[in-house]
Amino acid sequence: ASHLDELQVATAKIQDLSRQLTRFGRTNTQSNHAIPDTALEALAKMLGPIVGSHIKISMHLDSGASAIRLRSHELDQLIINLALNARDAMPEGGELHIVTAVVDGVVEITVRDQGIGIPQPLLARIFEPFFTTSNDRVGLGLWVSREIVREVQGTVAVESTVGVGTTVRLIIPRALARSSDSMRRVRHGGVSGELAKPGASDLVVPASTSSTR
């Protein structure tokens, strides 16, 4: 078999393994589902050392975002993957914004950086296994993240502008359907046009005193 054939077989095996790991131990009990604002507040203390002291983390969390179909450790993995990408995109520092909102019956989690951005020709390839623009990464973070989200019938959307930054939106179904929430437009910390409920909380994580870079 050619090298390309071997790579395709290896990629298929990794895809299957990822799906199996995502499904492992998954149950339908409500207690296993993450509540976004609670999970992200707990994760906030970890993100500082992960991204480094040169990056400020700002969170705007919607207290009305009920439990979603992801477990807390799956949500943690998603956000950490995106935070690492943001760190790599902001070598000179900047801000990382994380926003949650309830939109049309689903939970939207937005992660936005002020990094170097992704050129349009490369944007179509970012979910390919092993594709990376960083010499220090293996290129599986975004691909694994999308597989996790797909497993719960969610979606991932990425927008990027060179020299401005990248925005990733995770659309995650809620664990239990609720009546539609009243929504309003807000502007917060440079993040404009996000949908959130009254009563959303803001959380700014102080810069870490140490960096893992």
Side-chain angles (χ1 to χ4, degrees):
S2 68
H3 178 69
L4 179 59
D5 290 337
E6 292 176 351
L7 181 60
Q8 289 174 336
V9 170
T11 299
K13 289 181 178 179
I14 291 174
Q15 289 174 331
D16 183 61
L17 176 61
S18 175
R19 284 189 287 268
Q20 292 182 48
L21 290 174
T22 301
R23 293 190 184 102
F24 179 72
R26 179 177 290 282
T27 67
N28 292 323
T29 58
Q30 176 72 8
S31 62
N32 286 329
H33 295 139
I35 299 176
D37 60 336
T38 303
L40 292 175
E41 283 178 357
L43 180 63
K45 295 178 182 178
M46 295 174 51
L47 287 179
I50 288 174
V51 300
S53 59
H54 61 307
I55 294 175
K56 176 184 176 182
I57 303 171
S58 177
M59 289 189 176
H60 183 206
L61 306 178
D62 184 350
S63 59
S66 59
I68 56 178
R69 293 182 186 176
L70 293 174
R71 293 190 186 91
S72 292
H73 74 270
E74 292 170 330
L75 180 57
D76 287 352
Q77 182 177 357
L78 288 174
I79 300 303
I80 289 173
N81 284 346
L82 297 178
L84 288 172
N85 287 342
R87 179 197 67 184
D88 293 343
M90 297 188 286
E92 303 302 321
E95 292 192 25
L96 174 62
H97 299 272
I98 301 174
V99 179
T100 65
V102 180
V103 183
D104 296 331
V106 297
V107 174
E108 179 177 299
I109 302 173
T110 302
V111 179
R112 184 175 70 87
D113 66 46
Q114 298 175 329
I116 58 177
I118 305 169
Q120 288 300 314
L122 300 182
L123 200 56
R125 300 187 58 196
I126 59 175
F127 291 113
E128 294 179 10
F130 306 113
F131 177 78
T132 180
T133 58
S134 172
N135 295 328
D136 300 325
R137 308 286 294 280
V138 296
L140 287 174
L142 276 177
W143 176 75
V144 168
S145 297
R146 188 176 65 171
E147 290 297 304
I148 291 173
V149 172
R150 280 180 167 179
E151 186 66 24
V152 296
Q153 290 76 53
T155 60
V156 182
V158 180
E159 300 174 359
S160 190
T161 302
V162 173
V164 176
T166 299
T167 299
V168 181
R169 287 186 173 85
L170 309 174
I171 307 298
I172 312 294
R174 292 192 287 181
L176 294 176
R178 296 194 320 182
S179 59
S180 61
D181 300 298
S182 61
M183 312 298 290
R184 65 183 179 90
R185 294 279 176 177
V186 300
R187 301 181 67 90
H188 167 70
V191 180
S192 61
E194 299 297 340
L195 287 171
K197 286 181 57 180
S201 62
D202 300 333
L203 176 64
V204 176
V205 180
S208 171
T209 56
S210 61
S211 171
T212 58
R213 287 181 58 80

